[in-house]
Amino acid sequence: MYLQEYQVKRMLSNYGFLVPKNFFCRTIEEIRDAFCFFEGQKFVLKCQIQFGGRGKSGAVKVVSNIQESELFFRRWMNRKLATDKTGIDGQKVVGILVEEYIDVQQEMYVSVSIDKNKNRIILIFSFYGGIEVEKNHEKNRNYFQKLEIDLIKRLKLDTIRRYVDKLCNIQKISLSFSKFLFDLLEIFFSLDLLFIEINPIAIDRYGKLICLDGKSKIDENALFREKEIKKEILSVENDSLEDIIDKLSISSNYVSLNGNIGCISNGAGLAMGLMDLIKIYGGHPANFLDIGGNTSLSKVEKYFCKILNQDRVIVVLVNVFGGIIRCDVVAQILLRSMKKIGGKPIPKIFVRFSGNRYQYGINMLKESCFKSNISIMYNLEEMVEKSVLLTKGRNVHFN
């Protein structure tokens, strides 16, 4: 889950990092309230999307009066913003960050990411940052330090300090920047981040390090850890608070893919096996969904509706072995989901039940008003083969 800039700053601030005073605004009234706080000073307006390149697109502006602020808000709020990072489709601006203007003496750079091939955390930092950081990196890699960090051994402050001193031997900056990097790594590990970049880190006229911009991504699969802290960080975004809480407590595994065959299973092995079989027969899965065992029915129903509602999905395969979650319960969820999507065309649905109360589940489906949309299957390979033929526009015979 990618974070917005205001969420990254909230996270950093909570952990003791300095960030400019700021207000996240979604209405013109909130913009006016923020202006009252900064009245008589310069301040910065920044469109909130999850990608960079905003400054070059005019989506970051330094202003000093309410008229410019309101014009900026009306120009960008809820509009699509395309930058060199978003691609031509752009991304909707979900809010405007109104932020204190900082008199910058020097800009620096840091990022922490995961190298999956090496099973290492990669820390990159430099005493050169800002909007041209990529060009600086290409022109002079000596300005940048790259460290590979063992997941178990991690790095001690003294070790970081040695590497920082190689780039900058100014005692005061070197010490404070080393501590900055050490603390940032602690956040990375404790909040299950997949990536964080702070660019630029400003040194102000008092020598303080201030995070002026930031990007980050949290591992969605680890949202159940440090739940309250993460809920506070994420608490206002595109989703309603209820949706965020839902994400924080969800136990199902859902991954969206590019194909046209919806996949619903319980158990990661069963789901992976189903996807493999689809690929063997030349088809393309539209998703991976493992509904798990001890799962909230309302959450599973949301995923069922999501799959049934996708226009590209031609056929849905339900392959469930009844255990902790019973087959008749899955049948009940499936029927409720089909009712919920309203008048939309329902894709063809193949259901293969076995295990706990499978016959009850099959009977419920056969006796329902959706029985013409559902085919009960007993052979997995036959189910997959017919589904792939359907997606290719071939005629399929049903018994």
Side-chain angles (χ1 to χ4, degrees), residues 318-342:
V318 181
N319 183 35
V320 168
F321 180 82
I324 297 173
I325 187 164
R326 304 183 329 237
C327 292
D328 58 332
V329 173
V330 177
Q332 182 187 354
I333 298 170
L334 177 61
L335 294 174
R336 280 198 338 218
S337 305
M338 294 169 81
K339 286 178 184 172
K340 274 198 170 180
I341 65 170

Side-chain angles (χ1 to χ4, degrees), residues 356-367:
N356 192 2
R357 291 178 72 87
Y358 81 96
Q359 194 58 52
Y360 288 93
I362 289 172
N363 292 343
M364 287 173 68
L365 298 177
K366 283 183 173 177
E367 294 165 6

Side-chain angles (χ1 to χ4, degrees), residues 167-210:
L167 293 183
C168 176
N169 57 9
I170 302 173
Q171 185 74 11
K172 186 176 178 183
I173 296 177
S174 176
L175 181 60
S176 57
F177 192 46
S178 301
K179 183 69 167 51
F180 184 101
L181 297 177
F182 181 80
D183 291 343
L184 192 67
L185 285 169
E186 288 301 303
I187 292 183
F188 186 86
F189 288 113
S190 64
L191 291 183
D192 305 295
L193 302 185
L194 298 175
F195 170 76
I196 184 165
E197 178 188 72
I198 304 177
N199 180 40
I201 306 160
I203 302 179
D204 72 359
R205 56 182 170 170
Y206 304 108
K208 294 178 180 175
L209 303 185
I210 304 174

Side-chain angles (χ1 to χ4, degrees), residues 241-272:
L241 186 58
E242 290 72 22
D243 286 337
I244 294 167
I245 293 170
D246 192 47
K247 283 178 184 175
L248 289 170
S249 58
I250 199 151
S251 57
S252 296
N253 292 314
Y254 176 86
V255 179
S256 181
L257 303 170
N258 295 325
N260 50 18
I261 302 176
C263 303
I264 297 171
S265 286
N266 63 322
L270 209 55
M272 291 298 293

Side-chain angles (χ1 to χ4, degrees), residues 295-324:
T295 308
S296 160
L297 303 188
S298 63
K299 289 168 191 159
V300 173
E301 190 175 306
K302 285 182 182 177
Y303 281 117
F304 275 42
C305 290
K306 186 171 184 172
I307 294 170
L308 294 171
N309 259 321
Q310 290 172 336
D311 293 335
R312 61 189 166 88
V313 172
I314 297 171
V315 55
V316 176
L317 307 185
V318 181
N319 183 35
V320 168
F321 180 82
I324 297 173

Side-chain angles (χ1 to χ4, degrees), residues 89-102:
D89 291 337
Q91 193 177 55
K92 184 180 171 183
V93 175
V94 298
I96 306 294
L97 194 68
V98 182
E99 188 170 89
E100 175 189 13
Y101 177 82
I102 302 294

